[in-house]
Amino acid sequence: MKHRIVVLGAGYAGAITAGRLAKRLHRDDVEIILINADAEFVERVRMHQLASGQDLPARPLREVFAGTGVQVRIARVTAVDVDRKTVDLTGENIAYDTLVYALGSTIADYGVPGVAEHAYNVAGKQAALRLRARLNELRAGETALIVGGGLTSIEVAAEIAEARPDLAVAIAARGGVGDWLDEKAQRYLRGAFERLGITVHEHADVTRVTANGVITGAGRDIPAQMTVWTAGFTVHPIAAATNLAVSDSGRIVVDATLRSVSHPDVYAVGDAAHAEGVGGKPLRMGCATATPMAWQGADVIAARLTGGKVPDAPIGYASQCISLGRRDGIVQKVTPDDQPTSTVITGRMGARIKELICAAAAWSVVHPTMMLPSRRRHLMATGAAEHQFVTR
């Protein structure tokens, strides 16, 4: 029987991995199954655009992968048994020979009361649409408050402020907003906030979300008619419920080849993986990490199954891109270990570069077997000891 590769999750990491494997491996030898809860590919890096009222193109996964050899299953993963090598879906159980875990992340509320009841978020398509509906209900002069000081927080605040200049838009962060950026980028960001009329509350540790705003650790009340929680992300708890080795945050601990350190037939890519990048620093969550991890993960699996050279070079970064609405942006050049440099591109050029990167990432998903060598290799009858050709 064919060697079955099951990929869990069809975000950037999972979808790109599945398509690259289909391009690398011969269809006579492998069966690639991509499992996702949503029937469409969701451009998660554009959820702030969807929330602000912009429409995004529909990309049904079955159409994306038609003719590639990748089987798409629309189902929700409920459990993984890494000892029996099975995945539990809603109403179904499926076995695997090689598992690629790419279930991504969702919002982290850090135990703050009221987040689930009163706050909106942009962690997924349905969440963004709920925020969009609420945004449409707000009247002129009312306040939209974004909690968080990271990339997502900045983009959501800017997008809403540009789309709804009649609203009072504010951002509240535990520390500084964008304070990891180079000084030039920070100055530009402050100027952009001023131009957009965004009020910034820094060093505001939000300890409770209410129907009428938030309360900080100092007891300060920041009123708002709508609160958007963008204070961080966390992984789904499925991996932590298995016998896989996971980090304190529940991410699957992998080696330099993105293989689980505890179960050699399991690989993790994207937000769900705890992997070390250049300099030994854990890779951060985000599309900038997911895509190169998908490339490497697929190439590693293909190499091990076909007897090729296994890539194990650490993944590094080149830039951080921030959109400030549709016509403004910041591109912060960084070192491979993600430290900011003095090279910063701003304004319309920054916006164009950010758009080009987002469009390229989506293009690589919706053209899953393009731009790669066309030769599909056969599997070895007997592979390396840690990853032999397995039949059921």
Side-chain angles (χ1 to χ4, degrees):
M1 293 179 67
K2 295 181 179 181
H3 185 97
R4 178 179 287 172
I5 303 173
V6 174
V7 182
L8 305 182
Y12 292 98
I16 293 172
T17 300
R20 198 171 178 99
L21 284 169
K23 191 70 171 181
R24 297 292 199 210
L25 301 173
H26 203 285
R27 296 184 190 180
D28 290 345
D29 295 347
V30 296
E31 179 184 21
I32 302 171
I33 302 175
L34 178 62
I35 299 170
N36 198 60
D38 197 308
E40 296 182 356
F41 168 68
V42 176
E43 280 189 89
R44 197 169 176 189
V45 296
R46 295 190 188 276
M47 289 300 96
H48 56 290
Q49 296 176 234
L50 181 64
S52 68
Q54 299 166 52
D55 292 325
L56 303 179
R59 295 188 170 98
L61 289 169
R62 288 198 171 99
E63 292 183 13
V64 167
F65 287 96
T68 66
V70 175
Q71 302 174 36
V72 175
R73 301 271 187 95
I74 307 306
R76 188 171 299 279
V77 178
T78 58
V80 176
D81 190 326
V82 291
D83 297 318
R84 293 177 54 233
K85 299 177 68 171
T86 59
V87 176
D88 289 340
L89 310 176
T90 306
E92 184 182 5
N93 180 276
I94 185 170
Y96 65 82
D97 297 311
T98 297
L99 180 71
V100 180
Y101 189 104
L103 288 179
S105 60
T106 186
I107 66 161
D109 61 16
Y110 303 110
V112 174
V115 173
E117 295 85 355
H118 304 297
Y120 295 83
N121 68 79
V122 291
K125 180 180 178 180
Q126 294 308 314
L129 289 173
R130 287 193 293 271
L131 170 54
R132 177 174 177 163
R134 176 58 183 143
L135 186 63
N136 288 337
E137 294 173 349
L138 294 184
R139 299 186 298 272
E142 293 189 316
T143 298
L145 174 66
I146 291 80
V147 179
L151 293 170
T152 302
S153 308
I154 294 168
E155 293 191 329
V156 170
E159 205 74 44
I160 291 176
E162 182 178 88
R164 291 290 306 273
D166 59 320
L167 297 179
V169 179
I171 186 169
R174 177 191 297 268
V177 177
D179 56 1
W180 71 91
L181 297 168
D182 176 74
E183 183 179 347
K184 176 184 176 181
Q186 290 188 48
R187 287 198 305 270
Y188 191 87
L189 179 62
R190 288 193 293 269
F193 280 164
E194 290 176 7
R195 291 191 298 274
L196 290 166
I198 298 172
T199 302
V200 178
H201 304 279
E202 294 189 314
H203 308 292
D205 183 13
V206 174
T207 57
R208 180 178 293 275
V209 178
T210 71
N212 302 307
V214 302
I215 300 172
T216 70
R220 180 185 175 192
D221 184 10
I222 303 178
Q225 281 69 49
M226 180 183 76
T227 299
V228 186
W229 188 266
T230 58
F233 294 90
T234 187
V235 295
H236 296 283
I238 291 175
T242 70
N243 288 329
L244 288 165
V246 298
S247 67
D248 292 342
S249 61
R251 302 170 81 184
I252 299 172
V253 180
V254 296
D255 63 17
T257 66
L258 304 180
R259 183 169 61 175
S260 165
V261 297
S262 61
H263 291 75
D265 44 24
V266 176
Y267 293 79
V269 293
D271 291 354
H274 179 90
E276 291 186 355
V278 173
K281 293 176 58 177
L283 296 171
R284 57 180 164 87
M285 295 182 180
C287 182
T289 306
T291 298
M293 289 180 83
W295 294 338
Q296 181 161 318
D299 290 352
V300 164
I301 294 170
R304 285 205 166 105
L305 289 175
T306 62
K309 180 177 173 56
V310 176
D312 60 358
I315 292 170
Y317 296 97
S319 63
Q320 293 184 11
C321 302
I322 308 172
S323 65
L324 301 171
R326 294 299 86 213
R327 297 176 297 277
D328 197 1
I330 297 173
V331 177
Q332 168 71 72
K333 295 293 185 178
V334 298
T335 60
D337 63 346
D338 212 23
Q339 296 302 305
T341 71
S342 59
T343 302
V344 179
I345 303 170
T346 58
R348 286 185 178 272
M349 182 57 70
R352 290 192 186 103
I353 293 173
K354 170 65 186 297
E355 174 59 29
L356 178 63
I357 291 172
C358 291
W363 190 94
S364 67
V365 171
V366 299
H367 298 83
T369 56
M370 294 289 287
M371 302 301 289
L372 286 173
S374 60
R375 182 181 179 186
R376 294 179 171 89
R377 297 183 178 275
H378 285 283
L379 271 60
M380 297 173 62
T382 304
E386 76 273 17
H387 214 329
Q388 291 185 346
F389 181 71
V390 181
T391 57
R392 294 178 303 281

